[in-house]
Amino acid sequence: MSDLGKIDRAFFDRHVAPNLGADRDDVAVGPTHGVDFGVLDIGGRALVTATDPLSILPALGLERAARFALDLVLADVAVSGVAPSHLSVCFTLPEGMTDDEFATVWETIHAECVDLGVSVVTGHTARYADVSHPWVGAATAMGVGDHDEIVRPDGARPGDRLLLTNGPAVESVGLLSTLFGDQLTLPNDVIADAQDRLEEVFAVRDALTAAAAGPVRAMHDVTEGGLAGALNEMADGAGVRFAVDRAAVPMRPGVREVCDALAIDPWAATSCGSLLLAVDPGGVDDVRGALESRDTFITEIGRVEAVAGEGGEVVVDGDRLEHPTVDPSWDAYAALAEEATE
C-alpha cells in the first residue's frame, strides 16, 4: 500500500475484495478498484452510490472550499450518467472551527445542493479532539435511475474515441499555487494562470452534460494517480487498449510551469474536475458541442483499440504507460506546507 493516498490495486485485491460482507443479490456493481461508484438494484431501479472523504481547506475561502468538497463527493455518482439526488453527510469538525465558520460551509453546501436538485437525507455533525483541517468527515452521494442508463467505467469498446476535459493536473496546480503561491519562484502572471485552474475543478455538471449528449461508453474523473491512472483503470476494466497521442493532451495555462517548478509529473497528479470519456464515434461532435456550450475545455486525445489476451493497456505514442505507484502532489503539498511553517 502507498504511504499516502488511495490504496493500490494489489492491496485492494488482497485485503479488501475478499472481505465485502454478506453476498447479496441486490448488489449490481460492488467495490472494484478504480471504479467510482456502486449500484444496487431496488425493485428494478438502479441506486447509484459513492462515498468520499470531506476535505475543507479554509485557505481557499470557506465557500469555495465547501463547493469543492461537495463536488468531489457528487462527481463519483455523476460519472455514472445518473444525476445525484440524495446526500448523507458526516462532519467530524476540529475543535477550533467556529459556529459561524461551519454555518458558512453548511449554507454553501445547501445552496449548491438546491441548484443541483440534491436533498440531504441524514448525517452527523460534531466536534472532536485531535481533528484538523482539511479532513473533516465523509459523505455518501446517491442517485436513482434505470440500469440501462448507467455509464459504466468498464464500458469502453474498440472504435470509441477518447475525450478529455480540462487536462492533467489542474486540481493539483490550482490548489498548490493558491495555497503556496508566495513560495513559487515563478512570474506573477504564471502563478495567476495556475490559480485560475481552481475554477476547473468542478465536474458534476460536465459529467451529466456529457452523458445526456452521448452516447458515452465510459467515464472516469481524473483524481489520485492523475490522467495516467485514469487511463489505465478504464482500459484495464474494459480489457482494451487506449492509444493516446501525447501532443493532443492539453496543458492548461500555468500547469506545465508549476509542475516543472515542483518536479511533479502532471500526468500522475490528481486533476479533480477533469473527465476522461470513451465516446461512440457518432456521439463525439454532440458531446464536444454540449461541453463547449458550457465553456468547458475539451479535446480528443486518442482512440480505443482491441487487445489480445486478458486485461487492458495504455500506449502513448506507441510506448506503454504504466499506472503511477504514487501521486506526486501529496509529497509536493507536504514539502510546501513544511516550508511554510519554518
Side-chain angles (χ1 to χ4, degrees):
M1 179 168 60
S2 59
D3 293 333
L4 292 173
K6 290 182 182 178
I7 60 174
D8 58 31
R9 181 162 192 159
F11 186 94
F12 176 88
D13 289 344
R14 181 177 180 182
H15 297 288
V16 178
N19 303 294
L20 296 175
D23 185 11
R24 293 181 56 94
D25 292 339
D26 55 1
V27 179
V29 177
T32 305
H33 190 264
V35 176
D36 299 307
F37 55 83
V39 181
L40 299 179
D41 180 80
I42 308 295
R45 297 277 280 167
L47 173 64
V48 182
T49 183
T51 298
D52 273 297
L54 280 172
S55 172
I56 301 292
L57 285 161
L60 299 179
L62 288 174
E63 292 183 1
R64 181 163 61 174
R67 287 182 59 226
F68 181 35
L70 177 65
D71 196 90
L72 184 65
V73 173
L74 298 182
D76 277 355
V77 168
V79 295
S80 75
V82 174
S85 56
H86 298 84
L87 183 69
S88 169
V89 187
C90 174
F91 278 104
T92 55
L93 303 174
E95 290 180 278
M97 191 173 193
T98 68
D99 290 355
D100 286 344
E101 288 170 337
F102 177 72
T104 297
V105 168
W106 186 247
E107 288 163 10
T108 301
I109 288 174
H110 157 73
E112 190 73 352
C113 282
V114 168
D115 192 59
L116 289 167
V118 174
S119 178
V120 177
V121 292
T122 188
H124 172 90
T125 305
R127 291 189 179 94
Y128 295 101
D130 299 324
V131 173
S132 61
H133 290 102
W135 307 111
V136 296
T140 296
M142 293 158 275
V144 179
D146 294 331
H147 285 280
D148 58 7
E149 293 177 347
I150 294 174
V151 179
R152 292 178 59 100
D154 57 359
R157 306 174 186 175
D160 289 347
R161 311 260 279 278
L162 297 174
L163 305 183
L164 178 67
T165 68
N166 298 326
V170 294
E171 176 202 356
S172 297
V173 165
L175 286 173
L176 295 173
S177 62
T178 298
L179 297 172
F180 308 108
D182 57 348
Q183 295 168 235
L184 300 176
T185 55
L186 292 168
N188 289 338
D189 60 334
V190 171
I191 292 175
D193 283 341
Q195 292 171 342
D196 286 344
R197 303 284 68 79
L198 271 186
E199 297 307 311
E200 299 174 347
V201 299
F202 303 102
V204 171
R205 292 173 178 84
D206 283 346
L208 298 177
T209 297
V216 176
R217 302 296 191 195
M219 182 161 37
H220 198 10
D221 59 340
V222 181
T223 52
E224 289 180 48
L227 178 59
L231 286 163
N232 274 280
E233 288 164 7
M234 278 181 60
D236 189 55
V240 294
R241 176 185 296 115
F242 282 6
V244 178
D245 176 6
R246 183 177 294 275
V249 175
M251 289 290 170
R252 301 290 285 145
V255 168
R256 174 64 69 187
E257 293 88 342
V258 170
C259 286
D260 286 349
L262 297 175
I264 290 175
D265 176 3
W267 282 52
T270 182
S271 190
C272 186
S274 297
L275 293 172
L276 177 65
L277 306 101
V279 181
D280 181 277
V284 169
D285 289 343
D286 288 340
V287 170
R288 292 190 66 160
L291 288 169
E292 286 169 352
S293 71
R294 286 184 34 78
D295 294 327
T296 297
F297 187 87
I298 180 167
T299 188
E300 183 174 338
I301 65 167
R303 62 195 181 278
V304 181
E305 301 174 343
V307 62
E310 296 182 359
E313 64 180 17
V314 180
V315 294
V316 180
D317 297 343
D319 295 325
R320 183 71 180 263
L321 177 70
E322 301 293 343
H323 195 299
T325 57
V326 67
D327 190 314
S329 64
W330 286 99
D331 285 341
Y333 179 93
L336 289 166
E338 182 178 359
E339 180 183 322
T341 61
E342 292 177 352

